[in-house]
Amino acid sequence: MSIRRNPYSIDVIVPCYQEQDALPITAPKIAAYFRDLVASPSNDAMSFRLLLVDDGSKDSTWGIIEGLSEANPEIEGVKLSRNYGHQAAMLSGLSLATADVVVTMDADLQDDIHAVSAMLDAYESGADMALGVRQDRSSDSRGKRGFANAYYRLLRLMGVNIIENHADFRLMSRKALAALLDHGEVNLFLRGLIPTIGFSVMLVPYARQARVAGETKYTIGKMLRLAIDGITSFSVAPLRYVAFVGGGVFLGSILSGIYVLCVRLFSPQTTVPGWASTLLPLLFLGGLHILCIGVVGEYVGKIYLEVKRRPRFIIAERTKSAE
Ligand code: UDP
Ligand code: MG
């Protein structure tokens, strides 16, 4: 399938949260890379815009973005009113995209920018999405790698269709982007939504680099939040498991009731020796109860957030909003 597409424009979306150490190094590199791409005759890219989204940083990230925007005609800054999280920040950039093609990537250049040219090749030959897939996770900490592996296994168990080792480094055509933006959900897990959209998808392998500067902005809390969103936004399996466990426990209690009755009726012994046999099941059942209510509560909470239809992000400021 070799459909050469007409010359196209590119919007590059980069969410930035507390990236004052990385941005001064990475943004010029990203801009230079796309400048070369546009100038190169080997593809049909004709122009690009780098959209830096400040996700409510408290450090000097916004000042840096303003400076970059002033000095470079292709760079534009968008400031969100507070920290909405990586997914919402990316979505805000995507919703402002006007180009034929959008590329999303992290601000720390962990996503190997050289994979973009393979993504453009995929687009030029007809793909509507090109997804960056990490080949190598050695730049991640051992804990993070273990967490990721266990999480992918859990997702599969829950029946969530996800492309393994694809995070948020991807190219989308205008058509695929429009389809993605049609999804109005508040609980965002973009990498889970992507496989549900369809269209022709190509995978582009790349080696995950180490962070250029600064620390990871994904705290354990943020990672857990995203992980829970990933499961509860796409699968009702946990609710089903809870029902199964509840059924099992109910059956167990009936059997033990029969046993107690038999002992009472047919055994001469009338006192129950030891307290452990009473206390342990009590604690176990109590804990199980609270856990199950928690799982159900997680879904009820999701419904609560969805029905309110609150905006998923609020834009406070833009550097080149006049155009
Ligand atoms: N990020 C964001 N909002 C947040 C946390 C992170 O926009 O609340 C951005 C961050 O600036 C970076 C990207 O999301 O561009 C990925 O974050 P990070 O590199 O810290 O995560 P890691 O690569 O360690 O998983
Ligand atoms: Mg990173």
Side-chain angles (χ1 to χ4, degrees), residues 73-92:
E74 312 99 327
I75 299 185
E76 179 176 340
V78 180
K79 184 181 167 66
L80 300 187
S81 60
R82 63 168 167 85
N83 180 232
Y84 283 88
H86 181 207
Q87 302 287 297
M90 206 157 33
L91 184 78
S92 71

Side-chain angles (χ1 to χ4, degrees), residues 106 108 110 208 211 216:
D106 288 354
D108 54 10
Q110 282 196 276
R208 179 94 166 148
R211 205 173 221 286
T216 176

Side-chain angles (χ1 to χ4, degrees), residues 14-19 53 55 83-87 89-90 105-108 110 134 140 144 208 211 215-218 222-223:
V14 179
C16 313
Y17 178 58
Q18 322 268 56
E19 295 287 6
V53 181
D55 184 18
N83 180 232
Y84 283 88
H86 181 207
Q87 302 287 297
M90 206 157 33
M105 58 193 304
D106 288 354
D108 54 10
Q110 282 196 276
R134 298 172 199 183
D140 282 350
K144 194 160 187 161
R208 179 94 166 148
R211 205 173 221 286
E215 301 269 293
T216 176
K217 305 301 175 299
Y218 259 98
K222 279 189 176 177
M223 220 149 76

Side-chain angles (χ1 to χ4, degrees), residues 196-211:
T196 69
I197 291 177
F199 296 120
S200 55
V201 176
M202 271 192 211
L203 302 184
V204 175
Y206 71 96
R208 179 94 166 148
Q209 316 285 313
R211 205 173 221 286

Side-chain angles (χ1 to χ4, degrees), residues 7 11 14 19 33 49 72 85 125 141 153 200 206 219 282:
D11 273 338
V14 179
E19 295 287 6
Y33 178 81
R49 173 175 64 153
N72 300 274
S125 60
S141 70
R153 220 167 298 145
S200 55
Y206 71 96
T219 54
L282 204 74

Side-chain angles (χ1 to χ4, degrees), residues 143-157 231:
K144 194 160 187 161
R145 239 178 304 157
F147 180 84
N149 284 335
Y151 183 58
Y152 282 124
R153 220 167 298 145
L154 185 67
L155 278 178
R156 268 198 301 273
L157 196 73
I231 295 172

Side-chain angles (χ1 to χ4, degrees), residues 48-64:
F48 82 98
R49 173 175 64 153
L50 177 55
L51 210 54
L52 301 172
V53 181
D54 176 13
D55 184 18
S57 305
K58 289 179 188 70
D59 62 1
S60 56
T61 298
W62 180 242
I64 293 167

